Amino acid sequence: MHRFLAARAGNVAIFSALCLCVGLVAPTYAQNRFTDADLANGFYRTVFGLEYANNGRGAQVVKKFVGPVRVYIDQRARIDRRAVTRSFVRSVNRSVRGLDIRVVDSPLQANFTVYIVDRANYAQVIQDDVYNSSRATVRGRCMVRVLTGRGGISKAQAVIVSDEGDFLFNRCMVEEILQGLGPLNDDPSLTYSVFNDASRHTRFMLHDRYVLNLLYHPQVQPGMQIADVQRVLPRVIADVRGYVR
């Protein structure tokens, strides 16, 4: 995962791109049997980006939407992927308590835009629609960018390629939409997670449902640092275990 942060008008712009690396996976958890320590570790590694020591102040605070998330699907590819994307957004809405995320019909209503493109147009969409700059560097097989400040995430944009097979599309759709909600880091030790460029998961894994439910718990607030979260996370984990399936 490549990540770049830049301060702009009081906000932090965070960009992540899926590189689909292989190898370097160290299995650490038994699937579907996560201890409290496992869940805390997964939360810290994805939300705070502990894998990278020099990726900016913005990576070391909680990032999340604090109000409704409205997703506009900007379909520009030859293969129409809107139905599967809508279905995934509905599944996230059902799976994450404290998160109100829905697809809308107009870009004017949206604070999260998902561009579905063919590979030939990937770079142009990133430069023209995401960064509004022909000089913007294009990386990754797919990407998400968020704008976040003290009040939480204000805007997210994901660019997902449609014409390079179902595996890549589904993998990118799941990871980039979930990362656009706040857990922006990847870590190779997270075996049963899409937040791991070496894994081949293409669905909303149980581990990641825990991470998102921990993040969107009311006791976890945007701008909190690791020490702040450490004081509340044991109680939050105990609560979340009661409803995550």
Side-chain angles (χ1 to χ4, degrees):
M1 182 70 69
H2 305 286
R3 182 162 292 102
F4 302 89
L5 293 89
R8 272 184 205 170
N11 286 338
V12 175
I14 304 177
F15 162 75
S16 65
L18 181 68
C19 64
L20 286 182
C21 308
V22 295
L24 300 178
V25 178
T28 57
Y29 310 136
Q31 188 173 19
N32 298 340
R33 295 198 304 273
F34 301 108
T35 67
D36 287 2
D38 293 336
L39 296 178
N41 178 65
F43 182 86
Y44 293 134
R45 287 181 181 273
T46 56
V47 172
F48 290 106
L50 296 181
E51 184 181 3
Y52 305 99
N54 298 310
N55 57 352
R57 182 196 63 80
Q60 301 304 323
V61 299
V62 169
K63 301 163 291 294
K64 62 186 283 189
F65 285 94
V66 295
V69 182
R70 295 298 178 252
V71 179
Y72 177 69
I73 305 170
D74 192 332
Q75 167 67 36
R76 303 187 184 186
R78 289 173 294 173
I79 302 173
D80 191 336
R81 306 277 192 174
R82 283 176 291 189
V84 68
T85 306
R86 286 193 198 97
S87 178
F88 178 65
V89 171
R90 286 195 296 268
S91 76
V92 174
N93 193 59
R94 292 192 302 267
S95 299
V96 182
R97 189 174 294 189
L99 173 65
D100 176 9
I101 179 171
R102 303 176 190 278
V103 173
V104 293
D105 295 328
S106 168
L108 299 178
Q109 300 172 295
N111 52 6
F112 195 145
T113 302
V114 177
Y115 300 95
I116 300 176
V117 304
D118 291 328
R119 175 62 65 192
N121 298 321
Y122 178 71
Q124 183 176 3
V125 169
I126 291 173
Q127 292 176 334
D128 292 352
D129 295 276
V130 177
Y131 286 100
N132 193 29
S133 171
S134 61
R135 300 172 61 184
T137 301
V138 176
R139 292 180 171 87
R141 306 290 300 279
C142 49
M143 61 82 70
V144 66
R145 182 184 187 234
V146 305
L147 292 177
T148 185
R150 292 182 180 179
I153 297 173
S154 59
K155 181 179 181 180
Q157 296 164 285
V159 185
I160 304 171
V161 171
S162 175
D163 64 341
E164 292 186 341
D166 291 344
F167 168 76
L168 181 66
F169 176 81
N170 289 321
R171 166 74 188 187
C172 285
M173 177 191 66
V174 171
E175 182 176 12
E176 306 306 344
I177 290 176
L178 294 180
Q179 288 197 317
L181 297 173
L184 276 149
N185 196 39
D186 286 277
D187 192 284
S189 71
L190 302 178
T191 309
Y192 296 108
S193 173
V194 296
F195 305 131
N196 173 356
D197 281 353
S199 78
R200 294 182 62 81
H201 302 302
T202 59
R203 57 191 177 88
F204 196 3
M205 302 295 288
L206 176 63
H207 173 276
D208 305 327
R209 295 199 296 276
Y210 272 114
V211 169
L212 267 294
N213 275 278
L214 294 173
L215 178 60
Y216 279 86
H217 192 279
Q219 292 190 46
V220 177
Q221 293 295 316
M224 292 176 74
Q225 298 181 355
I226 293 174
D228 303 318
V229 174
Q230 286 174 333
R231 288 191 284 270
V232 302
L233 197 59
R235 296 193 300 275
V236 173
I237 289 174
D239 190 21
V240 165
R241 281 194 183 279
Y243 53 82
V244 172
R245 299 288 184 268

